[in-house]
């Protein structure tokens, strides 16, 4: 499946006859939509760094494998298309840049994608071909500013919208722009209400609360954090929000990135071999009751799959509904500014021409 190893399957799902799977679910025909089961997969795999066409090809192979296993929803890691520049400093220092660092950014910018654009169209075609809902982490290019973004597609291949990371972490802030309140969507789909938060913005209580208020049921968490402590955050969000949490991370070896001196892992390059693990994954799926349904996988690239019983949402919120019966609006309130924030706005006014002015011309 990949150049480094076969894709492994970590699953809590029951055996399936794919001929009996119907990914396009019409919940309107069900007497009790809360009894719906959804088969979901999180992808744990590495970008083909600096090669966006090859990464798209790899994404399609993984999507096909997930669809063959009956998955209706497939979630990819943070920055899968475009790449997460792990270990790179872009040779930044306060008050100084270098020629190599500038060229590193040029190459990274070239690997990013426009939204909308041809790569988005291809992702939509994949979702339609395999009849899956697709959540994809990308590096979005708008002019010469980059954003860490998640794209959403339905099983008909329609592009539903995007979420831009609100708060890049540490040096990411020198490479990526900041999202705003206009891209915090939760999409109401036949398989549940789906949204996403990226990596450490999952630690932002106000962002999580906004998503809970929009009724999120399947909370996607593409990430670059492979530490075991990440699992505590994912379990907490599942319990707090009464939602399923699907966390997708890359599994990367040093050889998945360009070799030195073209690409350098700042501070650790000398200690790395081509087979050194530089991101250990840890992708997982957690239920609204805090039960780990699949993963975490720290062993290699793989597909992590589970069947989601949407009835667990009501079972969990019987105890705790964070924006419902367990809220205290007379004590706490939260305002979300959802309109886009633009650096430049053009306000055009049309001058009314009088009869005298018209004659004089």
């Amino acid at each position: 499946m990949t150049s480094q190893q076969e894709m492994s399957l970590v699953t809590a799902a029951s055996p399936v006859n794919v001929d009996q799977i119907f990914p396009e679910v019409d919940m309107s025909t069900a007497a009790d939509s809360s009894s719906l089961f959804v088969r979901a997969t999180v992808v744990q795999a590495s970008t083909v760094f600096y090669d966006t066409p090859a990464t798209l090809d790899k994404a399609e192979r993984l999507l096909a494998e997930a669809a063959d296993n009956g998955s209706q929803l497939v979630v990819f890691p943070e920055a899968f298309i475009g790449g997460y520049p792990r270990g790179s400093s872009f040779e930044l220092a306060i008050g100084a840049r270098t020629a190599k660092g500038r060229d590193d950014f040029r190459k990274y910018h070239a690997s990013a994608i426009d939204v909308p654009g041809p790569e988005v169209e291809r992702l939509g075609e994949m979702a339609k071909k395999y009849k899956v809902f697709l959540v994809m982490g990308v590096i979005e290019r708008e002019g010469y500013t980059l954003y860490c973004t998640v794209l959403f597609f339905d099983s008909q291949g329609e592009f539903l919208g995007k979420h831009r990371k609100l708060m890049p972490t540490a040096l990411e802030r020198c490479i990526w722009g900041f999202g705003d309140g206009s891209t915090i969507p939760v999409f109401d789909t036949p398989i549940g209400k789906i949204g996403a938060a990226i990596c450490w913005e999952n630690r932002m209580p106000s962002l999580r609360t906004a998503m809970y208020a929009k009724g999120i049921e399947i909370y996607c968490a593409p990430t670059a954090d492979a530490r075991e402590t990440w699992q505590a955050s994912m379990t907490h969000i599942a319990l707090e929000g009464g939602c399923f949490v699907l966390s997708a991370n890359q599994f990367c070896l040093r050889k998945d990135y360009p070799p030195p001196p073209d690409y350098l892992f700042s501070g650790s390059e000398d200690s790395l071999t081509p087979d050194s693990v530089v991101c250990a994954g840890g992708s997982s799926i957690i239920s609204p009751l805090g039960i780990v349904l699949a993963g975490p996988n720290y062993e290699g690239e793989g597909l992590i799959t589970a069947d989601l019983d949407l009835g667990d949402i009501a079972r969990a919120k019987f105890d705790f509904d964070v924006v419902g019966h367990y809220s205290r609006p007379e004590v706490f309130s939260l305002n979300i500014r959802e309109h886009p924030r633009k650096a430049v706005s053009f306000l055009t006014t049309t001058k009314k021409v009088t009869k005298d002015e018209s004659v004089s011309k």
Side-chain angles (χ1 to χ4, degrees), residues 27 36-42 72-75 133 135 152 185-187 189-197 211-212 214-222 237-238 241-247 285-286 288 306-310 313 317:
M27 287 177 61
L36 179 71
F37 281 77
V38 174
R39 179 158 291 190
T41 291
V42 294
Q72 298 156 271
L73 169 65
V74 182
V75 181
F133 288 81
V135 179
F152 301 84
V186 171
F187 298 101
T189 79
I191 62 169
K193 296 178 181 178
I194 302 172
M211 295 170 69
Y212 301 152
K214 292 185 176 184
I216 193 165
E217 296 172 330
I218 301 177
Y219 185 117
C220 304
I237 292 170
C243 53
F244 290 93
V245 174
L246 281 59
S247 180
I285 299 176
I286 301 171
D307 289 331
L308 314 183
D309 178 358
L310 297 193
I313 297 170
K317 292 195 176 188

Side-chain angles (χ1 to χ4, degrees), residues 33-324:
S33 62
S34 70
S35 66
L36 179 71
F37 281 77
V38 174
R39 179 158 291 190
T41 291
V42 294
V43 172
Q44 179 164 292
S46 174
T47 301
V48 184
F49 209 80
Y50 287 157
D51 193 339
T52 298
T55 302
L56 286 164
D57 290 342
K58 182 174 183 177
E60 181 158 11
R61 293 194 300 270
L62 297 168
L63 201 59
E65 184 174 345
D68 284 345
N69 190 48
S71 291
Q72 298 156 271
L73 169 65
V74 182
V75 181
F76 279 76
E78 176 180 11
F80 186 77
I81 306 295
Y84 186 81
R86 184 175 302 278
S88 176
S89 69
F90 290 85
E91 299 198 353
L92 279 168
I94 294 176
R97 262 76 53 200
T98 69
K100 183 183 184 306
R102 293 182 189 278
D103 203 52
D104 287 345
F105 181 78
R106 177 194 63 79
K107 290 185 286 187
Y108 191 52
H109 178 271
S111 298
I113 67 171
D114 297 324
V115 180
E119 294 84 2
V120 176
E121 292 177 5
R122 182 174 176 193
L123 289 169
E125 290 167 0
M126 292 181 201
K128 181 178 181 179
K129 178 179 179 180
Y130 298 105
K131 296 182 173 61
V132 298
F133 288 81
L134 173 61
V135 179
M136 176 64 74
V138 307
I139 299 302
E140 177 191 359
R141 178 177 57 218
E142 185 175 285
Y144 289 92
T145 296
L146 304 179
Y147 296 92
C148 185
T149 299
V150 170
L151 307 181
F152 301 84
F153 301 85
D154 70 14
S155 60
Q156 303 299 313
E158 291 296 319
F159 174 53
L160 299 177
K162 67 185 179 184
H163 165 63
R164 283 178 173 174
K165 194 173 188 177
L166 285 173
M167 178 53 69
T169 299
L171 193 63
E172 293 173 358
R173 298 173 198 171
C174 297
I175 307 303
W176 299 336
F178 294 63
D180 60 31
S182 68
T183 66
I184 312 176
V186 171
F187 298 101
D188 192 354
T189 79
I191 62 169
K193 296 178 181 178
I194 302 172
I198 306 169
C199 207
W200 277 20
E201 68 176 0
N202 283 284
R203 295 182 172 189
M204 299 172 70
S206 296
L207 173 59
R208 297 199 308 270
T209 302
M211 295 170 69
Y212 301 152
K214 292 185 176 184
I216 193 165
E217 296 172 330
I218 301 177
Y219 185 117
C220 304
T223 188
D225 191 339
R227 298 172 305 164
E228 291 185 7
T229 52
W230 179 251
Q231 301 305 318
S233 292
M234 297 298 95
T235 301
H236 172 80
I237 292 170
L239 290 167
E240 179 182 66
C243 53
F244 290 93
V245 174
L246 281 59
S247 180
N249 194 5
Q250 299 192 33
F251 183 93
C252 306
L253 305 180
R254 174 62 185 89
K255 64 186 178 185
D256 291 318
Y257 286 81
D262 186 39
Y263 191 100
L264 296 173
F265 277 72
S266 180
S268 62
E269 187 63 59
D270 292 343
S271 65
L272 298 175
T273 69
D275 290 321
S276 294
V277 176
V278 295
C279 182
S283 303
S284 61
I285 299 176
I286 301 171
S287 84
L289 295 165
I291 299 168
V292 178
L293 301 178
N297 176 6
Y298 296 103
E299 302 304 317
E301 292 196 333
L303 303 179
I304 294 87
T305 296
D307 289 331
L308 314 183
D309 178 358
L310 297 193
D312 281 346
I313 297 170
R315 296 179 187 107
K317 292 195 176 188
F318 171 67
D319 297 326
F320 185 84
D321 185 354
V322 66
V323 291

Side-chain angles (χ1 to χ4, degrees), residues 6-23:
E6 285 289 317
M7 297 297 293
S8 58
L9 178 66
V10 179
T11 178
S14 57
V16 60
N17 177 353
V18 295
D19 293 331
Q20 297 176 352
I21 288 295
F22 301 94

